[in-house]
Amino acid sequence: MAPTKQQILDSLAKVPAPDGTPLTETDALSDVVVTDGKVFFSISVDAAQVKAWEPVRERAEKAVRAVPGVTSALVALTAERKAGAAPARPAGGAAPRAGQGGGAQTGVPGVKAIIAVASGKGGVGKSTTAVNLALGLASHGLKVGILDADIYGPSLPKLLAIKERPQTLGGTRLKPISRYGLTVMSIGFLIDEETPMIWRGPMVISALTQMLREVEWGELDVMVVDMPPGTGDAQLTMAQQVPLKGAVIVSTPQDLALIDARRGIAMFRRVNVPVLGIVENMSYFLCPKCGERSDIFGHGGARAEAERLGVPFLGEVPLHATIREKSDAGLPVVATEPDGPHAAIYKDIAARVRDELMGAPARAAPRIVIEG
Ligand SMILES: Nc1ncnc2c1ncn2[C@@H]1O[C@H](COP(=O)(O)OP(=O)(O)OP(=O)(O)O)[C@@H](O)[C@H]1O
Ligand SMILES: [Mg+2]
């Protein structure tokens, strides 16, 4: 018979933390996910205490495996640098919802601003926009990194033609990949493509923490994060996990996509992340042969929506074969045709994002919330 979450928590209550407190009464334990005998949770501790906690992680894993019906147990120990005291979490690791309590979340050392590129809907050109926006920001003289946080389909390995794996530095830290002047990390490097979807949700929390804290990002003016599509719990958790200065929403002009974009904006507002603006992608069609323009999706919807919602409109990117071909070949237009018309559009958008960022007020620090 499949074990219940309560059985798992009961077994974890017998595992002491380094100071003797039952693990379930510490604030280190994440929500515990139990699916068909598979158990996943993470233990998040201050970076300085990782050594003391490793035996706890091992004992916790053993205890869970001993529960009848458990077929596999995955316990991740993640290090985070906490500023000040961590907020207490109810016993049993129940995750508090967004908006509760204060708590502190530190940024990534050396990184001045982290921005998300997001959309409510999949396939609207978020990753393409994120890459070209990052390159556009770099063209304005900024030092830029890009982090692929799309658990459902990491795209940076393809969009930037990256085949190599990041190397480890001193056994614990990862060295990001450099491409076209950008510092790059992808969740695709950490999560195996074969990992079933059901695991990715919980795993992403530790993978994300790792990508933010255990990667040698160096000094960056801006880190652009390519977010997974959608506005569900996983996305909300990510929006809270990453100390974001702002979010750029990508939408296509159709009404349906705009409804999703609106949800995306609402999600960021809920976690107090300023929306830096909306980009309308595939805004109009430019015939590659004759250069004639046609508004196949009813162009202009995103601009009107931005006005209605009181967020800046950042620009329109046409639907163009060159953008797709270059993108999919790992040769993003801003890097490979820097003087072309498409690069000009992205650089323009990047300049607006930079200006919005300069004017953006610091975000109220959210607490780290882990949800299954
Ligand atoms: N402006 C554009 N013109 C032509 N093709 C585009 C444009 N923007 C994106 N594409 C193409 O559309 C496809 C989807 O783009 P992309 O992967 O960037 O979307 P996404 O929103 O990140 O998707 P997902 O939700 O799957 O992560 C890609 O093949 C990309 O090359
Ligand atoms: Mg994508």
Side-chain angles (χ1 to χ4, degrees):
M1 214 183 67
T4 63
K5 183 170 167 176
Q6 194 53 51
Q7 281 174 290
I8 303 300
L9 290 173
D10 290 346
S11 73
L12 291 175
K14 293 185 194 120
V15 176
D19 67 355
T21 321
L23 181 57
T24 44
E25 285 171 32
T26 67
D27 64 352
L29 184 65
S30 76
D31 193 17
V32 173
V33 180
V34 185
T35 322
D36 294 334
K38 299 188 190 77
V39 182
F40 175 85
F41 56 90
S42 63
I43 300 174
S44 305
V45 301
D46 193 277
Q49 295 178 358
V50 167
K51 272 218 173 80
W53 279 83
E54 179 49 34
V56 180
R57 190 200 67 78
E58 277 169 31
R59 241 172 278 153
E61 200 170 279
K62 240 193 208 148
V64 169
R65 282 185 202 274
V67 175
V70 170
T71 53
S72 68
L74 187 58
V75 184
L77 180 62
T78 57
E80 58 190 42
R81 263 175 222 113
K82 288 176 189 157
R89 183 172 293 167
R97 305 296 305 183
Q100 281 181 356
Q105 184 184 15
T106 47
V108 178
V111 179
K112 292 197 188 117
I114 307 181
I115 61 172
V117 174
S119 67
K121 198 172 181 291
V124 297
K126 199 167 7 79
S127 302
T128 306
T129 307
V131 166
N132 285 297
L133 169 64
L135 290 163
L137 288 164
S139 79
H140 296 307
L142 300 176
K143 268 208 74 48
V144 185
I146 182 161
L147 166 59
D148 182 359
D150 190 343
I151 34 169
Y152 305 104
S155 341
L156 290 194
K158 182 174 167 202
L159 294 188
L160 293 169
I162 294 172
K163 293 204 175 66
E164 66 261 44
R165 297 249 146 184
Q167 296 174 333
T168 48
L169 294 168
T172 51
R173 297 183 69 76
L174 285 173
K175 187 170 175 273
I177 307 278
S178 274
R179 190 66 98 243
Y180 303 121
L182 302 177
T183 306
V184 188
M185 249 325 268
S186 169
I187 206 160
F189 302 150
L190 301 177
I191 289 184
D192 199 324
E193 251 175 79
E194 306 287 301
T195 305
M197 248 0 137
I198 192 149
W199 286 107
R200 294 193 176 200
M203 276 176 82
V204 77
I205 305 308
S206 54
L208 196 64
T209 312
Q210 235 184 316
M211 287 199 297
L212 288 171
R213 316 252 172 242
E214 289 162 36
V215 168
E216 286 296 334
W217 285 103
E219 298 287 319
L220 293 180
D221 294 306
V222 186
M223 182 195 287
V224 176
V225 184
D226 182 11
M227 297 280 283
T231 50
D233 268 0
Q235 288 78 10
L236 186 65
T237 307
M238 291 181 97
Q240 289 175 297
Q241 283 276 316
V242 185
L244 294 170
K245 267 266 172 67
V248 171
I249 306 288
V250 180
S251 182
T252 51
Q254 304 95 313
D255 286 347
L256 275 178
L258 285 166
I259 291 172
D260 289 309
R262 218 171 295 155
R263 281 203 198 103
I265 291 172
M267 178 182 85
F268 284 108
R269 286 187 167 161
R270 207 179 134 194
V271 291
N272 293 326
V273 175
V275 174
L276 301 171
I278 302 183
V279 173
E280 184 168 278
N281 190 34
M282 311 192 198
S283 179
Y284 50 90
F285 177 67
L286 270 187
C287 173
K289 292 210 178 72
C290 64
E292 199 191 327
R293 165 180 171 147
S294 44
D295 295 344
I296 45 177
F297 296 138
H299 135 266
R303 183 190 288 272
E305 192 62 32
E307 254 166 48
R308 195 163 24 220
L309 294 168
V311 300
F313 182 70
L314 299 171
E316 300 168 347
V317 180
L319 175 67
H320 197 283
T322 304
I323 298 180
R324 192 192 60 73
E325 285 159 14
K326 289 267 174 186
S327 237
D328 294 351
L331 303 163
V333 279
V334 175
T336 58
E337 292 183 359
D339 300 321
H342 305 308
I345 291 171
Y346 284 116
K347 286 179 188 175
D348 231 42
I349 291 173
R352 280 201 194 99
V353 168
R354 178 200 55 197
D355 295 346
E356 286 298 324
L357 212 46
M358 304 263 205
R363 167 198 184 187
R367 61 183 301 171
I368 292 179
V369 174
I370 296 180
E371 289 173 32

